[in-house]
Amino acid sequence: MPTRVLVPSGVLGLGFDVKALERGIAAKPDIICIDGGSTDSGPYYLGTGTSKYARDVCKAEWRHLMQARAVADVPLVIGSCGTCGTNSAVDWMYDITVELAKELGQTLSVARLYADQSPHQIANAFDAGRVTPLMPAPDIDADDIRGFSNIVALAGAEAITAALASGADIILAGRTTDTAVISALPIENGDHAGAAWHGAKIAECGAFCSTNPGSGVILVEFDESGFTVEAMAKDAICTPHSVSAHMLYENVDPYILYEPGGHLDVTGATYTAESNRRVRVEGSAWIPSDTYTVKLEAAKIAGYQTTMMAIIRDAHYVKNSSVWIERLTRFLHDKIADCTDLGSDDYSLEFRLIGVNAALGVLENRQPSADAMPVEVGVLLIITATDQMIATDLSKLINPFLLHYPLSEQEDLPTFAFPYSPAHSDRGALYEFALNHVLTLDAPMDAFTLKLSQIAEVADD
């Protein structure tokens, strides 16, 4: 049967048009789905099991969604709670939900879908050949896995379906694929499987598939042959171009998308404008796989960091900033060898010239011409060491030279600028992603745990 899925935004914490959300609720959706996760800002959040989005912002947006759910009287689902989808992030979102239920006077059943994996069990699965690499994947062994700080599995649509079957008003899911939360109910309702996955991919980032991405809210209607997508903001329009283009977003192949249990193929999809706001899509296909696999994500500590920054404005130094950095780096390595017992494996120094190569570092192949040099260049130094004390002490050793080191021995000592004091900032642990693998399961729920709680209405004190 047809299924209407309302997607308020690409992620909780990004914001949405509240009036557009009201129009979406007026369209009588069968479910409200939103993603809460992101890897865009790197592995720190998975490594620490914390959110990159502010709690107050998430609570304010979740309040709107809980109120909308109560009006529509449909399930509200969030996937990949708290950026990383660890158990701690799910419980963080649960605490927010309990607070809001009390403030709003709502009585709720809440399902928590946990996705954390035991490093010991994943190590055993690795030895048993049930953990296989994707490309590119780091070279690891079972002992490495036992040392990872957090491991999560990305749940598929079947896990969300199991949570929906509990009858929960709100589902707080750990790490899921972006599409699983949206595709689950249309698949359960018997809508076209290819359309369910394709529409979920198009809707995963809310109004990113429209002409006004910042408005957030879209509605997708799934049925037996395809799906129709419409932006809910008055100034946002879905076109065949804007909708089809979203298959390129965060996807290495614009026609194929791999998910737990199979893959989506949109090679034969057609995109037709139904009006000046709605786009109809048909012809996408879902191809089930022989085995059921879920992607694994993990993080591990890769060192401890301290950063420093200096600003150079002298035109002679700005023009020759790369040469200056090369000479300074050689000097600092010699100085560290003379003054400490540190070996080359105990630390690293990484300079980024802001205005020259800050984004790509040594990979930057475009250099500004002499007449197009910036007025000033920021010099960012990232010190990485095996512990924080070493990184901090190295910054203090380097401090006077980052401020005064000359371009050549025949020049006066320059003086640059530190934008803050102290000149160094300790960053603590550095995390890196440690897995790009899939885990083979005998059944879709084997890696996940479901917990159902009742939140009774409580009068505010």
Side-chain angles (χ1 to χ4, degrees):
M1 65 180 188
T3 307
R4 290 183 171 184
V5 180
L6 182 65
V7 182
S9 178
V11 66
L12 188 74
L14 191 60
F16 48 80
D17 182 336
V18 175
K19 292 295 183 184
L21 179 66
E22 292 173 356
R23 280 190 283 277
I25 295 300
K28 300 186 181 306
D30 297 295
I31 192 171
I32 304 170
C33 299
I34 189 169
D35 183 33
S38 175
T39 57
D40 292 351
S41 295
Y44 173 84
Y45 306 97
L46 177 58
T48 56
T50 57
S51 171
K52 81 169 190 174
Y53 300 103
R55 190 181 194 278
D56 285 350
V57 174
C58 290
K59 183 177 178 180
E61 294 183 9
W62 196 237
R63 175 190 294 273
H64 284 297
L65 299 185
M66 286 179 60
Q67 291 172 317
R69 184 215 65 80
V71 171
D73 194 21
V74 297
L76 169 63
V77 184
I78 180 170
S80 299
C81 283
T83 305
C84 56
T86 58
N87 290 2
S88 59
V90 172
D91 290 339
W92 177 79
M93 198 65 210
Y94 178 75
D95 290 343
I96 292 174
T97 303
V98 172
E99 286 180 16
L100 285 170
K102 179 179 179 182
E103 293 171 11
L104 297 171
Q106 294 186 357
T107 297
L108 300 166
S109 60
V110 178
R112 281 174 277 180
L113 180 67
Y114 291 118
D116 273 18
Q117 308 299 305
S118 157
H120 180 72
Q121 291 180 346
I122 295 299
N124 290 342
F126 182 87
D127 285 338
R130 297 174 71 85
V131 176
T132 52
L134 302 172
M135 288 297 291
D139 188 17
I140 59 169
D141 58 30
D143 287 339
D144 294 329
I145 293 172
R146 293 187 183 94
F148 295 162
S149 56
N150 275 318
I151 305 175
V152 291
L154 278 67
E158 295 84 353
I160 301 299
T161 300
L164 288 170
S166 72
D169 300 304
I170 293 177
I171 296 170
L172 309 175
R175 194 72 171 110
T176 68
T177 69
D178 291 352
T179 49
V181 294
I182 300 171
S183 64
L185 187 59
I187 293 172
E188 181 66 11
N189 285 348
D191 296 327
H192 190 278
W197 285 107
H198 192 184
K201 171 59 184 172
I202 298 303
E204 61 169 346
C205 288
F208 276 27
C209 64
S210 77
T211 58
N212 184 356
S215 59
V217 190
I218 63 166
L219 182 73
V220 189
E221 298 180 48
F222 299 90
D223 55 42
E224 71 282 358
S225 62
F227 68 92
T228 305
V229 56
E230 179 178 0
M232 292 291 99
K234 288 184 176 179
D235 58 351
I237 297 172
C238 288
T239 71
H241 174 80
S242 68
V243 171
S244 61
H246 197 74
M247 278 300 294
L248 288 163
Y249 185 76
E250 295 180 341
N251 191 25
V252 68
D253 187 324
Y255 298 107
I256 304 296
L257 180 71
Y258 288 93
E259 292 284 342
H263 71 270
L264 169 69
D265 185 345
V266 304
T267 307
T270 60
Y271 302 79
T272 306
E274 272 197 345
S275 69
N276 62 354
R277 301 184 53 82
R278 291 162 55 91
V279 173
R280 176 71 178 173
V281 183
E282 294 187 346
S284 38
W286 173 251
I287 293 88
S289 55
D290 294 333
T291 59
Y292 193 91
T293 61
V294 291
K295 189 172 182 294
L296 296 172
E297 292 177 347
K300 67 176 183 180
I301 292 177
Y304 296 81
Q305 288 189 329
T306 294
T307 61
M308 304 182 73
M309 179 174 283
I311 310 295
I312 58 176
R313 289 180 56 85
D314 182 286
H316 175 56
Y317 279 85
V318 168
K319 180 180 179 180
N320 295 285
S321 55
S322 296
V323 176
W324 180 69
I325 287 299
E326 290 176 7
R327 184 167 186 266
L328 176 61
T329 302
R330 289 195 300 271
F331 170 81
L332 290 176
H333 284 306
D334 291 343
K335 187 72 175 178
I336 292 168
D338 288 342
C339 300
T340 74
D341 295 328
L342 299 175
S344 59
D345 292 336
D346 296 322
Y347 76 96
S348 66
L349 307 179
E350 181 182 5
F351 282 98
R352 297 294 182 97
L353 295 173
I354 299 173
V356 179
N357 66 355
L360 298 181
V362 296
L363 298 177
E364 179 59 69
N365 58 15
R366 295 184 301 176
Q367 296 297 323
S369 60
D371 58 353
M373 294 300 296
V375 172
E376 60 188 22
V377 170
V379 181
L380 173 65
L381 171 59
I382 304 171
I383 305 166
T384 305
T386 50
D387 67 46
Q388 187 62 63
M389 183 177 293
I390 293 175
T392 305
D393 282 351
L394 286 177
S395 74
K396 295 178 179 180
L397 181 154
I398 292 168
N399 181 310
F401 306 104
L402 190 58
L403 191 62
H404 293 301
Y405 193 70
L407 187 57
S408 72
E409 294 180 354
Q410 306 307 315
E411 299 183 34
D412 295 336
L413 285 180
T415 297
F416 305 125
F418 285 145
Y420 45 76
S421 179
H424 71 276
S425 299
D426 292 337
R427 298 191 62 248
L430 166 70
Y431 291 89
E432 67 180 14
F433 287 120
L435 282 174
N436 190 30
H437 295 67
V438 293
L439 170 67
T440 300
L441 302 180
D442 293 328
M445 280 297 287
D446 282 356
F448 307 98
T449 304
L450 196 59
K451 180 178 181 179
L452 190 64
S453 302
Q454 302 297 322
I455 303 176
E457 180 179 351
V458 179
D460 208 350
D461 295 332

